[in-house]
Amino acid sequence: MQRAVVLGGSFAGLLAARVLSDFFDDVVIIEPEAWSRDETRNGSPHRRQTHALLAMGRITLERFFPGITAEMTAAGAQLGQDGEIRFYIDGIRKAPVPGTLTLSATRPFIEDHVRRRVSDLDNVQTRQARAQGLIFERGRVVGVRLSADEEQLDGGDALQADLVVDAMGRSSRLSRWLNDAGWDPVPMDRMRVDLGYATARFARADLLPDTYRELDDLVIAHSIPGPASGYQPTHVETAAVAAVEDDAWSVVLAGYADHKPSQIPDEFLARMHRCIEPLREVAETCKMIETPEAFTFSEARRRRFTDLTRFPAGLIVMGDAMASVNPIYGQGLTLATLQASSLAVHLRAGAPMGEPAWDYFRRTNVVVGAAWRLSTTADLVQPHVTGPYPRGYKAMSWVADHITEASIKDAQVNATFLDVLQMIEHPKALTHPRVLLRTAKVLLQR
């Protein structure tokens, strides 16, 4: 296989290029914007917001780029482990679980390190150009049309390819290109969540009390403030503070519908004061070094490629172009790493390039389906989210509520809960008889 073309040079595109470099002589990343660590690039307007690389994402990233965890931590990223990651529900800290590893850093920082590794690959190059469409021939994609006013590749505005990967994100134009070429539209699920969140940064150093000062890589998550925090809202809020590079705290506040956080500094701080103690401590003792920046996420989407009966060969879809779920659960970056793993397995199995990549789409459907199920089931708790409701939702919600309650008190239940949250385990692990029996025992002892 001679050439693969990746449309989009963000996180998913970089991972795709890394996988393809093992199978193709030449890999070309098409990116319309020159790369920089500017956190407000047009292609990713939410890049400054707090991101999470969950445990499974870090494991997978390490497999593709051996030693990258140590490289990033040496440069300032933080690694939460051995119970240092603190989760709260209703202001109550959940039972600590040792051994969970979560990399804490900003998205530009992570992307920068991944990009450097990809740039070091001899058969990968990045070209600044804008894709304007796909070239089809006898039922397969054989290339990409590029903007006439950008750098000309191969002596013209067409770049030939044996495989094309769409990693253009939520703004992907693939559906229109397929429709224009006579292919069936890709079925899409949508769920309107109307989420708003805002991120600010604070100076870290030794300004927190002794309880937290020694934990330089402390990561704290907080969901649904309640009586323990002295605040009893009638709506759901989420907040998190994470230690990131450059000796900073990254604080994100989130809320739905009419309860979105403000990007006015005083109002942002006032909301932090109503949260759990660690966030209050940051608000009271740490200097805000970057003012809040807000972002709105209107709806979750996923495209169901496995529902199609016709699809062109030579075409792969990754990242938000395939599925974009509620970012408050931190699944996006990790989901991209698992899609990259699916692509690697698909190619390693000797998939014929002359046939549609059904095996790849079936594999990613399992991963995307798990993330979709986890996030949308939680989103449906919101009174303004009207569905669609999955079959058996009431029973699923009842079981999830009780497992969540048991996870506050019991480390064993919480370990499974966190494995699902960190995308190490499939959500069905929560309905294993062992977990259900343990949950019943914990709640009955209460």
Side-chain angles (χ1 to χ4, degrees):
M1 296 183 286
Q2 295 180 5
R3 176 184 289 158
V5 174
V6 180
L7 305 180
S10 193
F11 191 72
L14 292 171
L15 290 173
R18 166 61 187 88
V19 171
L20 296 171
S21 69
D22 289 338
F23 301 92
F24 288 81
D25 295 336
D26 183 26
V27 179
V28 181
I29 302 173
I30 303 299
E31 172 59 46
E33 296 184 59
W35 169 252
S36 73
R37 290 199 64 202
D38 178 13
E39 297 170 348
T40 59
R41 292 174 67 217
N42 292 332
S44 301
H46 63 301
R47 294 177 79 244
R48 190 193 165 198
Q49 303 298 327
T50 298
H51 284 71
L53 187 60
L54 303 178
M56 193 61 193
R58 187 201 63 79
I59 292 169
T60 310
L61 196 67
E62 183 71 23
R63 186 161 61 242
F64 288 134
F65 305 102
I68 196 168
T69 300
E71 176 185 308
M72 288 191 287
T73 53
Q78 306 299 316
L79 193 64
Q81 57 185 326
D82 298 329
E84 294 166 0
I85 305 172
R86 304 180 179 215
F87 291 91
Y88 293 80
I89 290 183
D90 289 332
I92 303 171
R93 184 184 175 186
K94 297 183 68 175
V97 177
T100 303
L101 298 178
T102 299
L103 187 75
S104 181
T106 64
R107 176 170 172 169
F109 178 93
I110 296 172
E111 280 188 355
D112 193 31
H113 283 266
V114 172
R115 184 174 297 275
R116 290 177 191 171
R117 288 293 194 99
V118 172
S119 298
D120 288 341
L121 300 172
D122 293 336
N123 59 339
V124 177
Q125 57 178 310
T126 300
R127 299 290 182 87
Q128 188 176 350
R130 187 175 300 276
Q132 296 292 353
L134 300 176
I135 302 171
F136 296 89
E137 189 176 291
R138 295 189 297 274
R140 64 168 286 116
V141 174
V142 296
V144 182
R145 292 197 306 273
L146 301 171
S147 298
D149 57 350
E150 299 287 351
E151 179 184 352
Q152 297 299 298
L153 305 177
D154 285 1
D157 61 355
L159 182 62
Q160 300 299 312
D162 298 299
L163 181 68
V164 174
V165 177
D166 174 14
M168 295 184 288
R170 282 175 66 93
S171 60
S172 170
R173 302 178 296 281
L174 178 63
S175 293
R176 176 165 56 83
W177 295 345
L178 291 173
N179 185 68
D180 291 345
W183 295 91
D184 297 333
V186 182
M188 180 188 291
D189 291 328
R190 297 172 181 262
M191 178 174 286
R192 182 167 180 78
V193 296
D194 194 17
L195 171 76
Y197 56 106
T199 295
R201 290 190 202 168
F202 295 78
R204 196 153 39 94
D206 59 352
L207 298 179
L208 292 181
D210 292 340
T211 307
Y212 307 107
R213 185 179 299 152
E214 61 187 19
L215 300 177
D216 291 335
D217 51 0
L218 177 67
V219 179
I220 306 165
H222 168 233
S223 177
I224 316 176
S229 63
Y231 177 50
Q232 301 183 50
T234 57
H235 55 275
V236 174
E237 293 180 353
T238 299
V241 54
V244 297
E245 74 278 4
D246 298 328
D247 203 25
W249 294 111
S250 181
V251 176
V252 59
L253 305 179
Y256 294 87
D258 295 332
H259 305 289
K260 300 180 181 70
S262 170
Q263 58 183 349
I264 298 174
D266 288 345
E267 294 180 5
F268 190 93
L269 289 170
R271 190 153 170 166
M272 287 180 65
H273 280 290
R274 298 198 301 263
C275 291
I276 54 173
E277 182 182 353
L279 278 98
R280 293 200 302 269
E281 290 288 343
V282 171
E284 292 170 0
T285 61
C286 297
K287 179 183 178 181
M288 183 183 290
I289 54 178
E290 289 187 14
T291 56
E293 182 171 320
F295 185 76
T296 299
F297 182 86
S298 59
E299 66 176 13
R301 305 173 186 170
R302 71 165 172 177
R303 292 180 170 87
R304 303 194 314 272
F305 292 92
T306 53
D307 286 2
L308 295 170
T309 57
R310 296 175 61 247
F311 194 75
L315 182 60
I316 292 291
V317 183
M318 281 184 59
D320 286 353
M322 175 179 284
S324 176
V325 296
N326 188 336
I328 205 65
Y329 307 108
Q331 298 169 313
L333 298 183
T334 299
L335 194 55
T337 69
L338 294 175
Q339 290 171 335
S341 282
S342 298
L343 177 59
V345 173
H346 172 71
L347 295 174
R348 194 178 302 120
M353 292 293 99
E355 299 178 6
W358 295 124
D359 176 68
Y360 165 78
F361 287 116
R362 281 191 292 267
R363 291 179 184 278
T364 55
N365 187 55
V366 175
V367 176
V368 170
W372 182 265
R373 173 181 171 183
L374 188 68
S375 62
T376 56
T377 300
D379 289 336
L380 286 169
V381 174
Q382 312 301 325
H384 70 281
V385 178
T386 57
Y389 287 84
R391 183 180 302 176
Y393 167 73
K394 288 186 177 180
M396 290 165 50
S397 180
W398 185 86
V399 171
D401 287 345
H402 286 80
I403 291 174
T404 301
E405 185 180 355
S407 71
I408 295 174
K409 299 293 184 182
D410 186 75
Q412 186 174 321
V413 175
N414 196 29
T416 304
F417 186 96
L418 290 180
D419 280 348
V420 171
L421 193 66
Q422 299 278 355
M423 300 187 76
I424 295 173
E425 291 279 359
H426 191 277
K428 66 183 180 182
L430 292 173
T431 59
H432 190 281
R434 173 182 56 80
V435 177
L436 296 178
L437 288 172
R438 183 71 181 182
T439 297
K441 180 180 179 181
V442 172
L443 297 182
L444 287 172
Q445 287 178 341
R446 179 198 61 181

